[in-house]
């Protein structure tokens, strides 16, 4: 009897203990806000960030402080360094583990509480894992064979299939229709981006209310661009950003490439050559299978892709190229369409979130090279954007922006869809007008 009980406890523990234990690695990790007033302070902090290998979530600027995640062991080194340089800072979250535990609890409670019907689809009451999304894409294609094709584009570093959907009423044969391309989860920890692509799929396939979006446009949607990293955020390390490439490790230390620095435009010019960095660019452009897969889709369909959306989080930014601060030749149009998309979202967003800010990525955020959307833009795709979805922070501290509040999942999908539709309709008109000439 006792042996049987122990066995049951062991099985239960195998199921739940690893989940409970996964946040332990963040015990004592803190979030700091840092006041960078001058260029000298900026470069001093950049050096400190590099030396202590810190994970900077927001770079600050224009009066906004920077936000940085600091492991327990580095906290006093950071404080001493900042103190000696006369840089002001604030300890904003003492222990992020507590909020990670809360996220886990809220997400599982919300899923358990929700009134799931037998209706086909992935409900917007939780954040779905890779296997569930993967199976859903396959099932969609089999239920809607005249509208949806599922494509296995290749395998990730750890061998997971990267799938995308082609959604078309004309089986992609009508070349007078432009393609709208979108992807999410290139950065593993940006969970709230997944409901944005899943919501778009729902509205284009299962719950279609606006026929023109299908009559006038073909769609390519890739929901999980970085499946290894994404699974790792569920099983081991919630704030993991990169892919899971191990070939660059120094002994047992540091792994992963920032996929949003691995693309072949300006590669390595404004990114890190150090594998320990969160912006490590890999050994060459497209060294990573996940980036090469997106390159191949973009090349195969590039002449018809009119709008390219790489969905990230967080901050409510709508960013366009280039990452060195130079504007593409059609910069004015890109800005205008960005503003229209932002306004469509702002019109329905929750009042506690700020309006989207639209602009060049290097000027609004920071310079970066080898990004997905810059690569797409450089190929001649007219409209390429990085969306940074809002952080909705009802249950968490104001800075812990990667955490998903279950209340916000459906809203994130809904409001982002308003922006996507605005951009897609503009893309359909401009593609038609151009190809008439
Ligand atoms: O740094 C990134 O890759 C993107 N931000 S995130 O917080 N999602 O990691 C922004 C990329 C936009 N491009 C430039 N900043 N140049
Ligand atoms: Zn990102």
């Amino acid at each position: 009897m006792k042996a049987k009980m122990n066995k049951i406890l062991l099985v239960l523990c195998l199921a739940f203990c690893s989940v409970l234990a996964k946040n332990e690695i963040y015990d004592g990790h803190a979030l700091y806000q840092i006041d960078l007033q001058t260029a000298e302070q900026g470069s001093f902090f950049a050096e400190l960030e590099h030396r202590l290998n810190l994970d900077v979530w927001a770079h600050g600027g224009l009066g906004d402080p920077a936000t940085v995640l600091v492991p327990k062991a580095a906290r006093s080194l950071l404080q001493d360094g900042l103190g000696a340089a006369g840089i002001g800072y604030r300890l904003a979250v003492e222990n992020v583990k507590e909020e990670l535990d809360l996220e886990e609890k809220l997400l599982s409670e919300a899923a358990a509480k929700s009134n799931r019907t037998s209706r086909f689809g992935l409900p917007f009451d939780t954040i779905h894992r890779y296997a569930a999304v993967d199976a859903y894409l396959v099932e969609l294609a089999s239920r809607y064979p005249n509208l949806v094709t599922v494509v296995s584009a290749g395998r990730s570093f750890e061998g997971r299939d990267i799938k995308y959907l082609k959604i078309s009423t004309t089986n992609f044969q009508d070349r007078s229709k432009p393609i709208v391309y979108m992807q999410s989860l290139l950065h593993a920890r940006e969970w709230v981006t997944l409901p944005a692509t899943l919501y778009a799929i729902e509205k284009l396939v299962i719950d279609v209310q606006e026929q023109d979006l299908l009559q006038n446009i073909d769609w390519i949607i890739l929901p999980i661009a970085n499946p290894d990293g994404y699974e790792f955020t569920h099983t081991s390390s919630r704030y993991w950003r990169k892919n899971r490439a191990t070939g660059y490790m120094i002994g047992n230390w540091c792994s992963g490439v920032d996929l949003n620095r691995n693309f072949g435009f300006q590669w390595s010019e404004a990114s890190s050559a150090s594998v320990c960095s969160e912006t490590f660019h890999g050994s060459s452009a497209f060294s990573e299978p996940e980036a090469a897969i997106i390159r191949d889709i973009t090349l195969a369909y590039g002449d018809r892709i009119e709008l390219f959306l790489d969905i990230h989080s967080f901050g409510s930014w709508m960013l366009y190229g280039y990452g060195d601060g130079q504007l593409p030749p059609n910069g004015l149009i890109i800005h205008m369409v960005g503003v229209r998309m932002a306004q469509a979202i702002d019109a329905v967003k929750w009042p506690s979130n700020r309006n989207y800010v639209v602009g060049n990525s290097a000027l609004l955020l920071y310079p970066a090279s080898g990004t997905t959307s810059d690569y797409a833009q450089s190929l001649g795709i007219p409209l390429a954007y990085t969306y940074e979805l809002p952080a909705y922070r009802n249950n968490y501290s104001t800075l812990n922006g990667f955490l998903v509040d279950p209340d916000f999942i459906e809203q994130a999908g809904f409001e982002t869809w308003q922006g996507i539709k605005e951009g897609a309709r503009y893309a359909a008109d401009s593609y038609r007008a151009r190809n008439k000439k």
Side-chain angles (χ1 to χ4, degrees), residues 186-188 190 241 258 260 310-314 386 388 402:
L186 188 71
H187 283 148
E190 297 168 9
R241 162 185 170 96
D258 182 356
N260 210 26
D310 183 22
I311 304 179
H312 287 249
S313 77
F314 58 90
T386 305
E388 296 279 356
F402 294 116

Side-chain angles (χ1 to χ4, degrees), residues 351-422:
S352 54
N353 277 350
R354 74 165 170 88
N355 283 348
Y356 269 80
V357 176
V358 185
N360 172 268
S361 55
L363 301 180
L364 288 185
L365 290 190
Y366 40 80
S369 55
T371 65
T372 315
S373 65
D374 273 7
Y375 174 70
Q377 189 77 56
S378 78
L379 291 179
I381 290 173
L383 302 163
Y385 299 90
T386 305
Y387 275 22
E388 296 279 356
L389 301 194
Y392 174 71
R393 301 131 162 167
N394 200 18
N395 283 294
Y396 313 114
S397 58
T398 52
L399 297 178
N400 214 338
F402 294 116
L403 298 191
V404 175
D405 194 307
D407 291 347
F408 187 57
I409 295 174
E410 182 151 14
Q411 170 66 19
F414 163 73
E415 66 177 43
T416 310
W417 179 231
Q418 309 314 308
I420 296 169
K421 284 191 295 186
E422 185 71 26

